[in-house]
Amino acid sequence: MGEIASLLDVRNEGGILIITLNRPDKLNALNRALLKELDEQIEFAYSSDAVKGIIITGSGAKAFAAGADISEFSALQPHEAQLLSQEGQLIFEKIDKLTKPVIAAVNGFALGGGFELALACHIRIASDNAKFGLPESTLGLLPGYGGTQRLPQIIGKGRALEMMLTADHTTAQTALSWGLVNAVTTQEELLPASIAMLQKFFTKAPTSIQEILRCTHLALETSGTSFLQESKSFGRCAGTEDFKEGVHAFMEKRKASFTGK
Ligand code: COA
């Protein structure tokens, strides 16, 4: 299955599906085509007995994923933006709901949608150069792939709001102290450490693993209403002048100047 994927590099190592986001020249930004391939791989993981767990990581030394692909935002109408958000939410919720453990091996920038992808994974392990952030407010948007819902659950409301409202980057060490990541490793050790954690899980009873994941997901389940509100808010933001300014400013590599319109 994975061999034909082009925006993902996929291999199965002893029951661990290692999915590498593979657009290093664009810092593995999540465009629609890549998200579609990711969705296919997750569906495959649901149905295949050959997959016992998943690691998601990024190619290159610089990024896990630097967000949704901003170049696909430029002509986005509000209703299309809402739909885009809903499509992303659906894929990420499939990851969150999977009853096979999923680790995000965060090997660099995890920003915007890239950070939200890591948040949808069950566990995050970071290399020491990792940087986490939600820059959407710099673009006139808000996190639209479940980030407004999952981040406060993981690090608490105050820190989550600080991250979203400042758009500041958080280092791997701070992320560790906040409980955002389970461990920090060197870049070389990141994959081996992620594999070792999954292999340790695999020594336990398979049904226990499955049921623990199912129940823990239920404990933190976000209601459909709040996901829908996030998508609607994403669409609302996409109808503003500030959104156009934010996207143009990014493409032109300058600072945005917002007017509140
Ligand atoms: N969407 C589309 N392209 C992106 C991207 C994104 N989210 N993030 C990075 N890229 C592209 C850049 O446009 C650049 O392409 P180019 O070489 O054709 O100009 C390439 O990836 C390398 O990025 P660059 O900005 O030159 O690297 P940098 O080291 O100077 O900065 C970041 C790294 C992560 C700080 C910067 O790329 C960034 O701020 N990215 C956007 C993050 C963001 O706002 N994400 C949220 C989206 S909702």
Side-chain angles (χ1 to χ4, degrees), residues 94-148:
K94 270 187 212 172
I95 295 173
D96 203 345
K97 244 183 160 156
L98 192 66
T99 55
K100 299 175 183 186
V102 185
I103 295 182
V106 180
N107 59 312
F109 288 112
L111 303 177
F115 183 29
E116 292 174 283
L117 171 59
L119 293 173
C121 296
H122 302 142
I123 284 171
R124 287 153 293 285
I125 300 182
S127 55
D128 46 20
N129 66 323
K131 292 264 167 54
F132 299 85
L134 290 169
E136 285 85 353
S137 56
T138 320
L139 294 162
L141 285 171
L142 77 160
Y145 290 163
T148 64

Side-chain angles (χ1 to χ4, degrees), residues 23-30 62-63 65-73 109 111-114 116 133-136 138-139 141-142 169 234 250-251 253:
R23 294 183 78 204
D25 54 327
K26 295 291 178 189
L27 306 185
N28 304 317
L30 309 172
K62 219 171 148 183
D69 191 322
I70 300 169
S71 68
E72 291 184 345
F73 284 179
F109 288 112
L111 303 177
E116 292 174 283
L134 290 169
E136 285 85 353
T138 320
L139 294 162
L141 285 171
L142 77 160
H169 292 175
F234 195 80
F250 176 79
M251 303 303 280
K253 299 189 187 284

